[in-house]
Amino acid sequence: MSDTPAPKSLRAVGNFIDDRFHLAKTGEKNLRKVFPNHWSFMLGEIALYSFIILLLTGVFLTLWFKPSMTEIVYDGSYERLNGVLMSEAYASTLHITFDVRGGLLMRQIHHWAALIFVASMTIHMLRVFFTGAFRKPREINWTIGAIILLLSFVEGLFGYSLPDDLPSGMGVRILQGVILSIPVIGTYVMMFLFGGEFPGEDIIPRLYMLHILLIPGILLALIVAHFMILWHQKHTQYPGTGRTEKKVVGTPMYPAFAVKAGGFFFFTFAVIVGLSAFVQINPIHLFGPFTPTSITSGLQPDWYMGFMEGALRIFPNWFDFNIAGYAVPVAVLVPGLGSLGLLAVALIAWPWIEQWITRDREHHNVADRPRNAPTRTALGVAASVVYGLLWLAGSNDIISETFSINLYLTTWIFRVGVIVGPVVAFIVTKRICLGLQRRDRETLEHGYESGTIEQLPSGEFIEVHKTSSPETVHVLRSKRPVPRIDVEATDEEGVESPEARSVMGRLRNRLAHWYTKDNISFEGVEPHSGHHLHHGHATAGAEQEPANTH
Amino acid sequence: MKWITARRRHPLAGYVVVILALAFVGVGYAFVAPSADRAQAQTVAADAPDVDLREGRQIFTESCASCHGPQGAGTETGPDLTNVGAASVDFQVSTGRMPSMNPDAQMPRRPTPFTQEEIDNLAAYVATFGEGPAVPTNVPATAPQRSDFESEEEYEAARETYDAAYEEYIAGGDTEAGMKLYLANCAHCHSWSGAGGALTDGRWAPELHEASPRQLYEAMLTGPGAMPLFNDTTLTPDEKQDLIGYVKDLQAEPNAGGVFALDRIGQVAEGFVGWTVGITLIVACAIWITAKQRAHD
Ligand code: HEM
């Protein structure tokens, strides 16, 4: 940035544009937009950057990839498979791998970026969940985010199916099985999608269209919407001095944030390229082309599909039944579609479910500390435990082999774990949250334990407590009283509200009570008012209290 | 230029340069990395010398009879060997499975305590109990060991003969047929790469990488333990050759995708690395950039 004015010709152009679009004003406003400084706000950025990398490498791949299932005899530079019958899709992927300069690297970047893309969205979403950043006014943006995540699973699955190698074919086969399990319409849907019997000639061209056009288009639109809403509503921020529901504290968009974001983009890029250059991913040349007779162990879907694979593996087949000669494979239907369906509904609807339970209609711009919303945090941890166990169960053969555990035993461990695990996780997490709340209250009232032991004239030993910094006090005091829902509430005349008498109303009251009942009240707690506070000689807190000992 | 001059002094500028350099190194590496030639195979053949049934019987009585009975008719702790044939003995003993250490558990592959000559004698002796498949001597067995030879030249010569026979056998197969046979018959237990996999009841299908072509052949011929039997009518000797050629060829195939091939475990390992290395590094960088920036503000 220079102080000398720009050349006249440039100024003229600038003025011309500005006269028409008034960009300077909006531009300046946007450049001064403030971003809070916390690393957890950068998780979503990783997803954005890896998406950009996916788009760029994906376009590169389309230049050579042939989405065709026409059988050809391979004749190329990969000698081992010369003379082998394979689909054009597989042959063109071999071509990209071995004959296109940088092609293998591009394929590996595309695939690693896909793994990182979904992983970063997952942790980004966990951050938003545990800090309550999905609450009003950001529910819509949460929902958009959830749809982006779910669509990305599908996008990744379809991309994985394109090269028509062994794992591709196995994945498509499972997809076909799951579709077939849908009662009544399953067969029709499958015939429609595959254009006939499995595998047919149509499935790859169709998945290709979905993978490179339709789904990326929708994703792009949703991502843009996501950012525009974010821009408009601004980030939430963690509690701290000067940060309020009305005021955001942080770094201005330009230059500091832009430099930081630019650097971060390059780092993300470097990690993905580094992985792609040194760590082999999806070696389709080793897998070989898919043929309908192939079956193999030791192959899994990409990680983000792992939870569905796990659900399929551990769900027992005790509930399968026949109606009038038609089999209803519950053991495929429930885990195959149910696991994804449940995740989708739970994710998309969560802000509204929570709002409905707590009747919280306020605007929230300051993030919750997870411990201050114990039930939500515990629910989140419980759900993560179920997800994690299903995910692990998807690799039970590898676990069984690596750790020499009986395969059936792992299945049972996961079956029990998926039921017991979340309950234990819920209880433990909630206890921990309440414990932390209690400690916060301690710290607020009594200052923090300095670790200095003093001997009083009486001979008694005490630990010196020091006053916390104003920042800490502010953070601790950010805990707002949780409105307790009084289940037995009546109006002035002693009459129950009509809502409380309906079934739904009673359910809602119960839920509200359960959701808010466990909480350590900070009401009436004054900082450093506790009788345990022992000042060291050199302490100078902002809210210094008279020293008192006992 | 002013723009760059101003940015150059920004506290983060240095890191950006480092990171860019990293990215270039990564990209550059992939272009210059040699596309490794096919690895050499490691096994060689030793033709069976004349057998000595007396020695065979002696070994059997000492090491095997306790479980399989003095005439190989079987006991509580070991199955009947009357009609298993020489192929089964050669497989079980040359892979170190027999003599078993624990009759209740599946035996892992181990170095065998016997020389090939002793095994041949033992196999010939057990073959006299009844009818069973003979050792497929036309298929290359384990490579000759230096310790079995008096002089370096003899060893070199034997090694050369073996390598030639091995190459001829492996290359004689039809890759496509071998691939289809392997993926249809073996991969659901031994996995696509031959790395093995878990089976039910605490059993496992071992990895195939150490097995010699002859051991592969014998495994199919005799169906050890939980493995099904693929006799010469189910899979003809030619098909077996295709199949063995495919397995050995795939094993020798270099990993084109990078120095870290993750043991060809595939997606589970990729997901693990994506989380433990990929995401972890990037998040660490986010934490670090923010800390730097805060210190700067
Ligand atoms: C947005 C998220 C995306 C995800 C998660 C994703 C994921 C994947 C995956 C996992 C593969 C398999 C790669 C492999 O062979 O190892 C793949 C292949 C492919 N993708 Fe994508 N992709 C995305 C976007 C795109 C876009 C935008 C394009 C094109 C404009 C594209 C074009 C392709 C092509 C042509 C292939 C087949 C070539 C090959 O497998 O080497 N992808 N994708």
Side-chain angles (χ1 to χ4, degrees):
Chain A
M1 306 248 112
S2 65
D3 299 322
T4 44
K8 209 171 160 209
S9 53
L10 274 188
R11 256 184 296 158
V13 176
N15 287 341
F16 176 85
I17 296 174
D18 198 41
D19 278 350
R20 276 150 194 85
F21 299 109
H22 304 289
L23 283 181
K25 226 165 130 198
T26 16
E28 196 177 299
K29 189 167 144 231
N30 281 338
L31 290 182
R32 273 195 279 114
K33 201 116 188 168
V34 145
F35 279 78
N37 271 337
H38 193 277
W39 62 268
S40 72
F41 290 116
M42 297 170 75
L43 299 176
E45 278 173 47
I46 308 174
L48 177 66
Y49 302 149
S50 31
F51 182 69
I52 294 171
I53 295 171
L54 279 168
L55 286 182
L56 296 177
T57 50
V59 170
F60 179 93
L61 294 175
T62 59
L63 301 181
W64 289 278
F65 183 71
K66 294 203 191 78
S68 150
M69 295 179 88
T70 311
E71 296 262 287
I72 56 162
V73 174
Y74 179 71
D75 174 27
S77 56
Y78 187 56
E79 276 180 28
R80 192 173 71 99
L81 294 182
N82 260 338
V84 173
L85 203 64
M86 57 178 69
S87 66
E88 271 197 286
Y90 183 77
S92 65
T93 315
L94 280 183
H95 179 74
I96 296 177
T97 308
F98 293 106
D99 298 298
V100 176
R101 188 150 277 268
L104 174 57
L105 183 69
M106 284 295 172
R107 272 194 52 236
Q108 303 216 90
I109 296 181
H110 194 69
H111 208 135
W112 277 116
L115 300 196
I116 300 285
F117 176 54
V118 188
S120 58
M121 280 191 286
T122 308
I123 45 176
H124 169 59
M125 188 193 69
L126 289 173
R127 195 281 290 175
V128 171
F129 179 86
F130 284 115
T131 59
F134 58 82
R135 289 171 301 173
K136 196 174 171 184
R138 294 182 179 76
E139 313 98 314
I140 307 268
N141 228 12
W142 164 273
T143 303
I144 292 178
I147 296 174
I148 295 177
L149 180 69
L150 296 163
L151 261 185
S152 306
F153 291 173
V154 180
E155 171 75 355
L157 174 71
F158 289 175
Y160 189 78
S161 308
L162 290 182
D164 201 25
D165 59 340
L166 185 60
S168 292
M170 306 258 298
V172 175
R173 180 107 226 184
I174 293 178
L175 176 71
Q176 181 226 13
V178 171
I179 295 176
L180 273 181
S181 75
I182 305 171
V184 188
I185 58 165
T187 323
Y188 299 98
V189 174
M190 179 252 149
M191 289 299 241
F192 176 72
L193 186 68
F194 285 75
E197 291 290 342
F198 178 86
E201 292 258 303
D202 290 343
I203 186 68
I204 288 197
R206 289 179 181 179
L207 293 183
Y208 183 65
M209 194 283 289
L210 295 173
H211 183 77
I212 69 154
L213 207 66
L214 188 68
I215 304 180
I218 300 176
L219 279 177
L220 191 62
L222 288 174
I223 290 174
V224 170
H226 196 72
F227 275 87
M228 281 167 58
I229 296 177
L230 167 74
W231 197 266
H232 178 72
Q233 294 178 332
K234 301 177 196 69
H235 272 295
T236 53
Q237 54 185 342
Y238 288 114
T241 29
R243 302 176 187 179
T244 67
E245 291 287 355
K246 299 265 157 60
K247 203 168 109 203
V248 188
V249 177
T251 330
M253 173 69 193
Y254 191 86
F257 183 78
V259 171
K260 175 168 130 178
F264 194 46
F265 171 78
F266 283 117
F267 192 87
T268 308
F269 184 59
V271 169
I272 291 176
V273 172
L275 280 173
S276 310
F278 296 109
V279 191
Q280 169 166 285
I281 189 166
N282 205 19
I284 58 123
H285 64 294
L286 299 178
F287 291 134
F290 178 69
T291 61
T293 51
S294 310
I295 63 168
T296 173
S297 64
L299 279 188
Q300 262 79 11
D302 271 349
W303 77 261
Y304 41 86
M305 285 278 142
F307 75 103
M308 288 171 76
E309 172 88 11
L312 275 171
R313 287 188 185 197
I314 66 169
F315 198 86
N317 60 355
W318 309 326
F319 309 105
D320 295 3
F321 60 93
N322 284 304
I323 303 180
Y326 292 100
V328 181
V330 178
V332 179
L333 188 61
V334 171
L337 284 178
S339 58
L340 185 63
L342 189 70
L343 185 73
V345 172
L347 282 184
I348 292 177
W350 178 254
W352 282 283
I353 297 176
E354 188 182 290
Q355 218 168 73
W356 180 77
I357 294 176
T358 59
R359 300 176 170 86
D360 181 354
R361 299 265 186 280
E362 276 176 63
H363 275 245
H364 295 278
N365 291 321
V366 175
D368 261 340
R369 304 173 76 214
R371 67 186 65 170
N372 290 344
T375 313
R376 181 203 299 141
T377 304
L379 276 177
V381 173
S384 308
V385 165
V386 176
Y387 180 93
L389 285 171
L390 288 180
W391 183 15
L392 278 177
S395 58
N396 66 348
D397 54 336
I398 307 254
I399 292 175
S400 162
E401 212 202 344
T402 312
F403 301 104
S404 301
I405 310 172
N406 190 323
L407 189 69
Y408 279 177
L409 184 65
T410 65
T411 306
W412 276 103
I413 292 174
F414 285 121
R415 281 181 184 164
V416 174
V418 161
I419 293 165
V420 177
V423 177
V424 174
F426 182 88
I427 295 169
V428 170
T429 313
K430 201 158 160 185
R431 286 292 123 211
I432 293 175
C433 286
L434 292 175
L436 288 172
Q437 283 192 21
R438 252 181 226 114
R439 201 182 67 188
D440 283 354
R441 190 183 146 128
E442 268 297 293
T443 313
L444 191 57
E445 268 186 307
H446 306 287
Y448 67 96
E449 292 168 4
S450 63
T452 318
I453 308 289
E454 234 171 49
Q455 190 178 18
L456 299 183
S458 61
E460 184 193 2
F461 286 98
I462 54 149
E463 185 176 8
V464 178
H465 283 234
K466 292 189 178 158
T467 49
S468 318
S469 71
E471 174 76 13
T472 310
V473 170
H474 191 95
V475 171
L476 294 179
R477 290 185 89 176
S478 74
K479 178 169 171 0
R480 301 206 288 160
V482 176
R484 301 240 183 159
I485 311 285
D486 185 358
V487 183
E488 258 83 56
T490 52
D491 66 11
E492 304 89 66
E493 271 124 60
V495 182
E496 283 184 312
S497 72
E499 202 208 347
R501 267 177 280 152
S502 71
V503 177
M504 262 330 239
R506 257 178 301 171
L507 173 70
R508 186 178 176 191
N509 272 342
R510 281 284 159 63
L511 281 174
H513 177 70
W514 166 76
Y515 204 81
T516 54
K517 69 179 186 239
D518 289 317
N519 192 34
I520 309 298
S521 174
F522 276 34
E523 263 166 277
V525 174
E526 280 305 315
H528 308 138
S529 59
H531 60 297
H532 286 293
L533 193 67
H534 307 289
H535 281 285
H537 296 295
T539 41
E543 280 144 304
Q544 196 152 11
E545 304 285 333
N548 41 17
T549 43
H550 63 164
Chain B
M1 260 4 258
K2 281 255 171 80
W3 190 87
I4 290 189
T5 321
R7 292 288 149 318
R8 218 171 54 196
R9 305 214 180 282
H10 192 276
L12 295 178
Y15 304 115
V16 171
V17 170
V18 169
I19 287 160
L20 267 176
L22 266 177
F24 278 114
V25 169
V27 178
Y29 174 80
F31 284 105
V32 298
S35 52
D37 288 321
R38 299 237 187 143
Q40 266 291 325
Q42 339 89 324
T43 21
V44 195
D47 268 340
D50 299 284
V51 291
D52 178 353
L53 286 178
R54 275 230 322 271
E55 194 194 33
R57 184 170 62 211
Q58 192 191 347
I59 298 175
F60 189 85
T61 319
E62 281 168 8
S63 310
C64 321
S66 58
C67 294
H68 292 289
Q71 295 306 312
T75 69
E76 297 268 281
T77 51
D80 182 2
L81 299 185
T82 313
N83 289 315
V84 296
S88 183
V89 176
D90 188 52
F91 172 81
Q92 297 280 349
V93 181
S94 69
T95 61
R97 286 181 167 75
M98 291 295 142
S100 166
M101 312 296 282
N102 174 1
D104 299 324
Q106 180 179 334
M107 282 289 110
R109 191 189 168 96
R110 286 177 301 156
T112 175
F114 303 107
T115 63
Q116 188 58 48
E117 206 178 321
E118 290 168 328
I119 298 173
D120 292 337
N121 294 335
L122 179 62
Y125 173 68
V126 174
T128 62
F129 295 165
E131 307 269 306
V135 175
T137 41
N138 57 330
V139 183
T142 316
Q145 298 299 306
R146 175 67 189 88
S147 50
D148 297 340
F149 293 89
E150 308 264 288
S151 74
E152 187 69 28
E153 288 96 67
E154 273 178 62
Y155 168 68
E156 292 282 322
R159 180 91 210 187
E160 231 162 72
T161 332
Y162 175 81
D163 284 346
Y166 181 89
E167 279 306 320
E168 196 189 320
Y169 188 78
I170 299 299
D174 167 350
T175 312
E176 181 169 10
M179 180 178 75
K180 285 201 172 135
L181 290 168
Y182 181 76
L183 290 176
N185 294 304
C186 322
H188 57 285
C189 293
H190 291 285
S191 111
W192 65 274
S193 65
L199 299 178
T200 54
D201 282 336
R203 286 181 174 267
W204 73 94
E207 66 160 3
L208 302 181
H209 297 159
E210 285 180 61
S212 67
R214 188 180 289 174
Q215 287 164 347
L216 275 155
Y217 199 109
E218 288 168 342
M220 289 188 260
L221 209 54
T222 63
M227 176 167 155
L229 193 143
F230 303 86
N231 63 28
D232 280 349
T233 18
T234 336
L235 289 178
T236 65
D238 278 347
E239 287 175 328
K240 286 199 173 79
Q241 186 181 1
D242 293 340
L243 197 156
I244 293 168
Y246 177 77
V247 173
K248 286 288 153 198
D249 201 31
L250 177 64
Q251 181 187 339
E253 190 58 27
N255 296 299
V259 264
F260 300 105
L262 307 180
D263 262 357
R264 299 195 181 169
I265 291 175
Q267 298 79 2
V268 173
E270 290 160 9
F272 186 76
V273 169
W275 278 90
T276 53
V277 178
I279 277 288
T280 308
L281 274 181
I282 301 176
V283 169
C285 169
I287 295 174
W288 170 72
I289 286 192
T290 322
K292 275 275 164 212
Q293 194 187 26
R294 276 198 186 155
H296 178 65
D297 281 347

